[in-house]
Structures are given as C-alpha cells and as structure tokens.
Amino acid sequence: SDDPRATPAYQDDRAHVFHSWSAQATLDPLVITGGEGAWIWDESGNRYLDFSSQLMNVNIGHQHPKLIAAIQEQAGRLATIAPSHATPARSEAARLIAELAPGDLDMVFFTNGGAEANENAIRLAKLHTGRHKVLAAYRSYHGATGGSIALTGDPRRWPNEPAMPGIVHFWGPYPYRSAFHATSEAEETDRALAHLADTIMVEGPQTIAAVILEPVVGTNGILVPPPGYLAGVRALCDQHGILLIADEVMAGFGRCGEWFSIDRWGVVPDLICFAKGVNSGYVPLGGVIISQAVADTFAQRVFPGGLTYSGHPLACASAVASIGIFKEEGLVERSRTMGDTVIGPVLDELKDRHPAVGDVRGLGMFWAIELVRDRETREPLVPFNAAGADAAPVAEVVGAAKKQGLLVFSHFNRIHVVPPLVTTEDDLRAGLAILDDALTLADAHVT
C-alpha cells in the first residue's frame, strides 16, 4: 500500500505511543526515518526543511558525523556510570561548559533536560538564600515538571494547578504589546523595572530567593529585552540579595549568536540553566551552571538533589564533541551573521509585503513573525490560547508551508523562524520564500 498510515511504525505509534501536549485521538504524526543537516525525511521519502530545529534544540543539525562518532566511541568505552564516580567525559564537559559561562559560574550540575535544570536551580536558590519565593515572568516557559510548570507563565500551567507554592509572576518587557503603555524602548525598560521593583516590594524582598527569566523569551514570542532591562534586573537582585537565574535552555548555545544569550548584554547571572543546544538533543542532557558563592553553600552541606543519569557519559561525550564543532565551524558567529544579513532583512521585507505581519523580531537564528488582523489596533490574528477553529488562521499558514516541504513552529499568533545553525544560506532563503508564499493565507484574514 502507498498509504503512509499502513506502516508498522505508524500503526504502533497510534496504538501505543502517548504523545505530549496532545489529545491522542486527533494526531496524525509524520513517521520520520532520517535526517541530515537542516533536513529530515519520512518513510515515504518526502523531504522537509526543518525550520523549527525540532523543538528549537537541533542547533548543530541532524546526524552531524563528528557528534555521532563521539557517541559511538564513548558507548564502546563506557556506556553508563553512576553520578557518584568521576568519569572523563563528564569532567571534560563540565570544564568546557564552565569555560564558556560568564563570571565565576564554574560548577555544573548535570540533568537530563531543561525542565530538571530549572527545577534544581530554584532548589539551589532557595537553599542558598534560606528564602522560599521565586519570581517568574508571564509569557515564559520553563518546563513541564512540577516546579518548572509552576514557574511557567503561559496557559500550559493552568491544567497543572494548584502548583508549587511561593511562585509569583510579573510582567516582563514586550515593546510591541507593552503592559506599561510605553511608547519607546527606553520607557519600556524603565517601567518594566519599576513594576518588578514594586512586585519585590509588596512580596517582601526578604522572602524572595530568586528571579528566573529567559533573557530572550522563547516559545512565548522571541521577546528580545530592550537595552538596559537585564542590567536593571541584575541590580534589583543585588540590592535585595536575590539570585538571578537565567533560563538559557532555548536561547543558549549559539541560538542568539552568543554562547549564552545573556552575554549580549554583558550581564552575569548567579545560575544558568541549559539543555537543548548543548548537544542538539542527540542524547538527553541539561544542567545548571553555578556561581562560586552558591557552590560554596554546599561545600560542607549536602545538596539534597540528584538524578540516576546526572552527567550520563554518552550525553557528556556528545556535549564535548558538540562544543568542539561549534568552535571549529564558527557556529556562534555564523548564527549572528545569518541573523544580521539574511533572516532579519528578509523578515523585514516580508513585513512590508504582508499586511498580516504586525511585528518581526529576533537575534541570531531565533526569530518570530507576529501575525495580526489589524496593524493599527494590533489585534492578534488568533486570540490568546486559541484552539480548534479559533486557531485555524495560523494552522493554515503552517499547513501550507508543510505542503511545500517546510516545517515551522507556531505558538498562538506567532510563527517562529528557528532553523539549525548549520542551515545553508540558500536553504534559509528558500525556506523564507515558502513562508512568504504561505503568509498570503494570513493576509486573507486581515480586516
């Protein structure tokens, strides 16, 4: 049969695989059997340009031969070991990651992914400060484990409530849809910082262990902070003895044209959470990079946290190889250059051409197209948390792109342009041309 749904892989998936973030009966997944660089293909041999880097994590592209070789070599030597031992792959991965981190963030606690990194970062912060509250932003995503989903400032938190106590949400900067009625980036910075200072005041600074934020917000809109904002948050934290946690899970490892996105603003947090791009998900890996002051708290005191697979040798070997590839191939610099010279300029042209495009924004290879029904009022193309028929106008655009062999990620009224950092300039331009074509479907809904 030529029916792609008749294959064992498809049938077994539908019968036995319970998918994340999904109503199970509504799914019709592609069966992906291979990939290379920025491309993946399905069982039928249809090729797709992967403009979402899967979940914004395959920064190095699919099937990088040096990364595969490093995993194979480590598997041949030692496939697994308990975290209580030292092992060369883990030691080297920790050293390389610490060398990349700013300031005196020199210790690494390894996890299996980003949600667990954020989970352990807030644990470190609470124990270090002896305080119990954590401030997190609305329009944020920090993961789906118990604590991380409580930190999350989007509707995925709602069905998981009541959640961990002590989490307080605040409004971060978003110049296009300012919560502070700002008319300039400078006003947005000043007013967002005043709002955060007031939130700290009324919550009681002596009760707050940490402020956690994505320096460049990921899923919730690729929100690039206006100049001075992150430095201002750092100053507020210092004033009150509050730790600053940078969730770099999505924005780190070259995605924004820096090793860590916060480096662009020269701000040093107390803890950095990473995952995704550290090894492009070839083996699950995440972690927390810890400042000297926080690490010193646990010099003689037991840290009450751990994971059977913390610093797994296959994952750490892949991280070592990945960092080597980033340096050899200049991928951090390449990300910045492609953002400045290709993606940014082409998206600006798309904005001029399509009345449905209200805003484009981003850095490096981390961009969002925000779709609206009306440019004057900025009414979103689909409402907040749209589902079903309400979400159709964006789903049409995504579907049209997929028909032309382009996979894109969308969230509410935004389409994200987040291709692997290795994507060729020709493929970038071809993918953006497909998006250009697909966006005419959004224009049809403009009032």
Side-chain angles (χ1 to χ4, degrees), residues 97-159:
I97 291 164
E99 283 171 2
L100 297 174
D104 69 351
L105 279 72
D106 285 332
M107 301 288 285
V108 182
F109 176 76
F110 285 108
T111 66
N112 301 306
E116 288 176 348
N118 288 326
E119 200 81 49
N120 281 284
I122 59 173
R123 178 183 280 154
L124 285 159
K126 288 176 179 180
L127 292 166
H128 172 73
T129 59
R131 302 170 179 182
H132 69 280
K133 285 184 193 170
V134 178
L135 266 51
Y138 287 113
R139 302 195 188 96
S140 68
Y141 180 72
H142 295 291
T145 52
S148 298
I149 201 73
L151 297 170
T152 290
D154 79 19
R156 285 173 285 188
R157 185 181 75 254
W158 304 346

Side-chain angles (χ1 to χ4, degrees), residues 139-353:
R139 302 195 188 96
S140 68
Y141 180 72
H142 295 291
T145 52
S148 298
I149 201 73
L151 297 170
T152 290
D154 79 19
R156 285 173 285 188
R157 185 181 75 254
W158 304 346
N160 290 287
E161 288 175 321
M164 175 192 282
I167 312 276
V168 177
H169 286 95
F170 65 94
W171 291 101
Y174 182 1
Y176 185 68
R177 295 189 185 281
S178 174
F180 314 108
H181 309 284
T183 57
S184 68
E185 285 203 320
E187 269 186 1
E188 184 74 354
T189 292
D190 290 348
R191 294 177 183 187
L193 289 171
H195 161 71
L196 180 56
D198 284 348
T199 306
I200 290 169
M201 174 179 74
V202 296
E203 286 294 336
Q206 74 287 354
T207 70
I208 301 168
V211 172
I212 186 169
L213 48 74
E214 301 163 273
V216 178
V217 172
T219 314
N220 283 273
I222 319 280
L223 306 178
V224 181
Y229 178 72
L230 293 172
V233 176
R234 175 74 272 183
L236 278 172
C237 288
D238 288 342
Q239 185 186 335
H240 298 296
I242 297 167
L243 297 193
L244 176 58
I245 305 172
D247 175 353
E248 291 273 354
V249 170
M250 199 177 282
F253 284 95
R255 183 51 64 189
C256 292
E258 308 281 347
W259 282 106
F260 297 103
S261 66
I262 201 165
D263 295 341
R264 187 180 178 98
W265 293 276
V267 173
V268 180
D270 299 287
L271 299 163
I272 289 177
C273 300
F274 68 89
K276 293 190 187 285
V278 65
N279 67 343
S280 293
Y282 281 42
V283 182
L285 181 68
V288 187
I289 321 174
I290 304 167
S291 66
Q292 201 56 59
V294 177
D296 286 347
T297 298
F298 302 96
Q300 302 299 326
R301 173 184 177 183
V302 172
F303 172 65
L307 300 149
T308 301
Y309 303 125
S310 176
H312 192 280
L314 295 186
C316 287
S318 70
V320 170
S322 176
I323 290 167
I325 292 161
F326 268 97
K327 290 173 178 174
E328 266 173 49
E329 299 185 11
L331 293 182
V332 175
E333 300 76 11
R334 184 171 198 280
S335 173
R336 193 180 317 145
T337 303
M338 287 295 132
D340 290 346
T341 63
V342 180
I343 304 175
V346 173
L347 290 180
D348 280 337
E349 290 167 23
L350 262 57
K351 184 181 171 186
D352 291 341
R353 237 187 338 269

Side-chain angles (χ1 to χ4, degrees), residues 280-438:
S280 293
Y282 281 42
V283 182
L285 181 68
V288 187
I289 321 174
I290 304 167
S291 66
Q292 201 56 59
V294 177
D296 286 347
T297 298
F298 302 96
Q300 302 299 326
R301 173 184 177 183
V302 172
F303 172 65
L307 300 149
T308 301
Y309 303 125
S310 176
H312 192 280
L314 295 186
C316 287
S318 70
V320 170
S322 176
I323 290 167
I325 292 161
F326 268 97
K327 290 173 178 174
E328 266 173 49
E329 299 185 11
L331 293 182
V332 175
E333 300 76 11
R334 184 171 198 280
S335 173
R336 193 180 317 145
T337 303
M338 287 295 132
D340 290 346
T341 63
V342 180
I343 304 175
V346 173
L347 290 180
D348 280 337
E349 290 167 23
L350 262 57
K351 184 181 171 186
D352 291 341
R353 237 187 338 269
H354 294 282
V357 176
D359 193 32
V360 297
R361 51 184 178 260
L363 288 172
M365 294 177 78
F366 201 43
W367 292 79
I369 300 168
E370 178 154 352
L371 301 174
V372 295
R373 285 182 184 269
D374 182 327
R375 275 192 175 170
E376 294 307 306
T377 65
R378 303 187 177 183
E379 182 195 345
L381 182 66
V382 300
F384 182 76
N385 202 33
D390 285 345
V394 172
E396 287 169 19
V397 177
V398 173
K402 184 178 169 184
K403 274 204 182 89
Q404 294 191 55
L406 182 74
L407 296 183
V408 292
F409 178 89
S410 66
H411 189 258
F412 299 168
N413 67 319
R414 299 173 302 275
I415 288 175
H416 292 199
V417 177
V418 286
L421 311 186
V422 296
T423 312
T424 66
E425 184 174 336
D426 284 350
D427 283 345
L428 278 178
R429 292 188 185 278
L432 290 164
I434 292 171
L435 259 184
D436 186 10
D437 189 51

